[in-house]
Amino acid sequence: MNLTKQFFKYVSQNIFGLLGTSCYILADTYFISQAAGTDGVTLLNLCLPVYNFIFAVGSMVGLGAATRYAILKAQGDERCQRYFSNAIFCACVLSVPFLLVGIFAPGGLLRLMGGDAGIMALGIPYARIFLMFTPFFMCNYIVSAFVRNDGDPSLAMVATLSSSLFNVVFDYIFMFPMGLGLAGAALATAVSPIISISICSRHFFKRRTACGSCASAPRQGCWARAASLASPALWVRCPPALPPPYSTSCCWVWRAMWPWRPMAWWRTLRWWQRPSSTA
């Protein structure tokens, strides 16, 4: 497969996966509005910045480590095997603060985000459930990024679409037939990354993959190189988690950077192909 076809294959399948994620967010919003009215939508808007920040951290670790893995693998460097286990361990460490907040202080988080007493009473179960599943959210971003960069973007797309479909269907089942309300919506959202990880895990049983085949002790150097490489993933996801004046400023800066982003992706892909073309 030539470079142009490979580029559009990866980009298009990633876009389809993100479209599935957008659809389940719309469905989640609709079901919550039907179950809890305007207070439910308000609660969802208070929790979305936290979810965006979790996504930002998971994307930074996952995209950075997966990109380093792909570069070293193309160069024939056995150090590429270190990055998957290091990324999983890093995500587990970074998810601990969110986990502790979910267990001990979900009400305090909602108060910090601007919720009143009524919103806090309604939203504590919702916030507690999705914060306690933070390790699965972060690990899902890492696993899908590694599967995609290890030559199987179709499986990553199927996993993302399947988890989104699960979320939409079980949002309805948990909230209405089972009568769990907002806790049911949070539970469906929390279980969906486990579905995606389970589907992506098929990739690690293939003999040709070096991804996940070797567990490595945590290395600060791996973390630093992965984080520096994917810091734009954190930057693009952080503005929605900031207060309005700062988020607006960050969005305008990112829009100004937009014309250079496709060219940067293209140059990265050409550089990644270079070792194999010269071998």
Side-chain angles (χ1 to χ4, degrees), residues 33 52 58 65 74 98 104 106 112 118 121 124 142 147 213 217 222 227 232 238 245 272:
S33 67
N52 278 330
F98 299 97
F104 297 110
L112 180 65
I124 284 177
I142 293 170
V147 170
S213 61
C222 290
C238 275
W272 177 72

Side-chain angles (χ1 to χ4, degrees), residues 104-157:
F104 297 110
L109 176 64
L110 293 175
R111 187 185 305 112
L112 180 65
M113 299 301 294
D116 57 20
I119 296 297
M120 288 171 56
L122 181 68
I124 284 177
Y126 184 93
R128 174 174 282 124
I129 290 173
F130 94 82
L131 284 172
M132 288 179 64
F133 280 78
T134 298
F136 295 102
F137 287 118
M138 290 190 180
C139 289
N140 179 38
Y141 307 140
I142 293 170
V143 171
S144 62
F146 269 87
V147 170
R148 189 179 300 111
N149 283 18
D150 202 29
D152 205 348
S154 299
L155 182 61
M157 180 191 68

Side-chain angles (χ1 to χ4, degrees), residues 111-262:
R111 187 185 305 112
L112 180 65
M113 299 301 294
D116 57 20
I119 296 297
M120 288 171 56
L122 181 68
I124 284 177
Y126 184 93
R128 174 174 282 124
I129 290 173
F130 94 82
L131 284 172
M132 288 179 64
F133 280 78
T134 298
F136 295 102
F137 287 118
M138 290 190 180
C139 289
N140 179 38
Y141 307 140
I142 293 170
V143 171
S144 62
F146 269 87
V147 170
R148 189 179 300 111
N149 283 18
D150 202 29
D152 205 348
S154 299
L155 182 61
M157 180 191 68
V158 169
T160 303
L161 292 176
S162 299
S163 65
S164 299
L165 180 62
F166 173 90
N167 199 341
V168 171
V169 173
F170 279 85
D171 256 347
Y172 175 79
I173 294 174
F174 288 156
M175 292 180 70
F176 299 108
M178 296 183 65
L180 296 179
L182 292 181
L187 187 60
T189 301
V191 175
S192 62
I194 301 176
I195 303 298
S196 178
I197 292 172
S198 300
I199 295 174
C200 285
S201 63
R202 292 180 51 198
H203 179 78
F204 302 116
F205 293 99
K206 298 178 181 178
R207 292 184 178 180
R208 64 179 179 82
T209 181
C211 174
S213 61
C214 179
S216 174
R219 297 170 181 265
Q220 294 182 358
C222 290
W223 298 7
R225 285 188 290 270
S228 63
L229 191 60
S231 56
L234 180 67
W235 169 255
V236 74
R237 274 289 171 178
C238 275
L242 297 174
Y246 303 102
S247 64
T248 304
S249 301
C250 290
C251 286
W252 277 111
V253 171
W254 185 249
R255 286 180 182 179
M257 295 170 61
W258 170 256
W260 287 272
R261 290 170 63 193

